[in-house]
Amino acid sequence: MDDKDFKALALVRLDRAKELYIESKELVKMDSYKSANNRAFYAIEKCIKALLATQQIDVETHNGAVSQFNLIFIHRDNSIFTKNDYPKIAKADRIRNASDYDDFYVVNKEETRELLDFAEDFLRRTEEYIIREKN
């Protein structure tokens, strides 16, 4: 892929992140908190992968994406993203994992709302970064 392809990929992933975030909000309205946790996490992950595409990086796994995000956007370029983001992303992944795979996981509605708030904020900052990079 060339630079133009990666820029297009970043925008496609950003659009998908927005869709996933909207789905998470709708699921909360239906009291489907476990599913909302899933969609919110994947919105965050799509943001991360969109950001990596701006750096011409594409990774396959969640861990690879988060690791590269941490290295590039927190440790090298921390103008929009901070060290506070990393533990929130890790927590989102733990919540999503429990929601998806732990049959006995009891959802904490407040935790879900915090996750959605973080996803919204992360999405906003991702969009700001991508728009800034596009110009």
Side-chain angles (χ1 to χ4, degrees), residues 2 16 32 37 41 49 59 73 86 88-89 103 121 124 129:
D2 63 15
R16 181 65 179 136
S32 294
N37 290 338
F41 169 77
K49 287 186 171 187
V59 294
F73 291 93
Y86 189 79
K88 290 178 182 179
I89 293 166
D103 294 330
D121 177 59
R124 179 190 52 76
Y129 185 91

Side-chain angles (χ1 to χ4, degrees), residues 2-4 17 22 31 38 43 45 48 56 73 91 101 103 110 122 126:
D2 63 15
D3 186 51
K4 185 178 176 183
I22 289 167
D31 294 328
N38 174 289
E45 185 197 42
I48 290 170
Q56 298 187 359
F73 291 93
K91 183 177 180 181
Y101 300 110
D103 294 330
E110 183 58 34
F122 196 77
T126 299

Side-chain angles (χ1 to χ4, degrees), residues 12-127:
V12 166
R13 287 179 173 169
L14 179 62
D15 285 344
R16 181 65 179 136
K18 290 175 185 178
E19 290 173 8
L20 290 163
Y21 173 70
I22 289 167
E23 289 173 15
S24 69
K25 288 190 345 182
E26 291 302 313
L27 287 162
V28 164
K29 289 178 187 175
M30 298 184 310
D31 294 328
S32 294
Y33 291 93
K34 287 183 179 184
S35 295
N37 290 338
N38 174 289
R39 300 287 81 189
F41 169 77
Y42 283 110
I44 294 165
E45 185 197 42
K46 281 295 181 191
C47 285
I48 290 170
K49 287 186 171 187
L51 291 164
L52 292 174
T54 68
Q55 305 300 304
Q56 298 187 359
I57 297 171
D58 195 18
V59 294
E60 297 294 320
T61 66
H62 304 308
N63 289 341
V66 172
S67 176
Q68 288 295 309
F69 168 79
N70 191 34
L71 178 67
I72 295 166
F73 291 93
I74 292 178
H75 291 290
R76 289 187 197 160
D77 174 13
N78 60 6
S79 57
I80 294 180
F81 304 98
T82 70
K83 290 182 181 179
N84 293 331
D85 290 320
Y86 189 79
K88 290 178 182 179
I89 293 166
K91 183 177 180 181
D93 190 26
R94 283 192 306 276
I95 293 169
R96 191 262 327 156
N97 213 11
S99 294
D100 287 354
Y101 300 110
D102 184 349
D103 294 330
F104 296 103
Y105 174 67
V106 177
V107 127
N108 178 325
K109 293 176 184 177
E110 183 58 34
E111 202 169 54
T112 297
R113 287 188 175 88
E114 288 173 11
L115 174 55
L116 265 65
D117 288 345
F118 175 68
E120 179 180 33
D121 177 59
F122 196 77
L123 179 59
R124 179 190 52 76
R125 290 183 287 145
T126 299
E127 187 168 30

